[in-house]
Amino acid sequence: MALANKAINLASVGSNFPSSIDKLKNSSTKAQINLRVARNSSVKAVQSSSVESDTGRWVRKRRHQNVDGDFFVDHTCIDCDTCRWMAPQVFTRVGEMSAVYKQPTSSKDRLKALQALLSCPTSSIRTEVPPPDILEAQKTFPIPVDEKKLPGVYHCGYHSEKSYGAASYLIIHPGGNILIDSPRFTEKLAKEIETMGGVRYLFLTHKDDVADHAKWATRFSCDRILHSEDVEICTADVEMKLEGNGPWSLGDDIMLVHAPGHTEGTVCLLYKPLKILFTGDHLMMTESGLSIMEMYNKYSVPKQVDSVQKLIQFDFDWIIPGHGWRIEFKDFQEKNTVLEAFVREKYNQYSSSYK
């Protein structure tokens, strides 16, 4: 993929994802899974201990886990994984935070490292020398997710700390472009999006990832969409509040699917022409396998599992989450096999909740 360099064949990386593969291989269907995943940001809010200088200002310390060289990650990293999927040739995870394990040696790798630097929600990626090519890197956003397979779908970058580093996406649509969840507001990104036709709708999957929604709404005079159950003080003025259980439609080719669980008002967006399901925090791929990130659940884990089961009926080949890794399925059958095995496992795990 253009963004994540290349997808990973899950069946070939057992040493990296043993629990996920073992569970899929041991499912009752014994299906041969050729699941492809592309790294995207997974959320883990980690409080870093800052160091105070004699001047009273907070000092950012270069982590000793970084290799020597220009690029480095400082101690304020929240382990959101953004840099590790955007520039896996440069960044890795060491000690529950990211670190540079190899300095970029090509122009391509350097660009990816700079894109990760710009996307880091906490500005935890640094360089020893101010990068002279940073402006050129800024111009590359939004980045095509996959120009061949997913034309017109872009990763906005500029992840926001307000949404714990969630990724935001842009769909170029003849009926008006759709921004999915809010990136950090920057006029540079706004100008690039403006050249692509602006934003007609700002779809907010749930209350956690609204970030700078008000600034984007003001900039593009777009209509924000959020389920009423997830409306809070900061989103009280959103233009379109979804009511009930849906589904709802935006034209003929976009369906909004209510998926309560992570929050009461979580909603996924199904883009039918390219068979993409944008899931927000509802469902993602992590280092341990397919996940609903129970530790961050704000409403009901059992209901979240029920909502995953509901997804089986819909036709999609891609899961693009706000956190975690993107998933590409070979076809409808494979998607259903994977989701059915996952739901079965979770029902067994939380069986007492369904009695």
Side-chain angles (χ1 to χ4, degrees), residues 48-54 57-67 70-78 97-100 122-128:
S48 300
S49 57
S50 298
V51 177
E52 193 173 6
S53 71
D54 293 337
R57 295 181 179 178
W58 295 111
V59 177
R60 290 175 176 267
K61 295 180 61 179
R62 177 177 179 136
R63 301 189 68 221
H64 71 270
Q65 291 88 347
N66 294 283
V67 298
D70 191 26
F71 283 87
F72 67 93
V73 179
D74 70 31
H75 74 290
T76 64
C77 172
I78 59 171
M97 293 184 186
S98 293
V100 173
T122 51
S123 300
S124 301
I125 301 173
R126 301 274 170 157
T127 56
E128 295 289 353

Side-chain angles (χ1 to χ4, degrees), residues 9 53 73 86 97 106 122 152 166 188 230 301 310 318 348:
N9 188 318
S53 71
V73 179
M86 290 190 70
M97 293 184 186
S106 68
T122 51
K188 292 182 177 65
D230 269 21
V301 171
K310 184 168 72 173
W318 288 79
N348 290 335

Side-chain angles (χ1 to χ4, degrees), residues 32 44 51 62 90 97 132 138 142-143 168 197 268 293 303 331:
Q32 296 296 315
K44 183 176 182 181
V51 177
R62 177 177 179 136
V90 176
M97 293 184 186
Q138 289 175 338
I143 306 172
S168 173
C268 301
M293 298 295 282
K303 288 185 183 297
D331 51 30

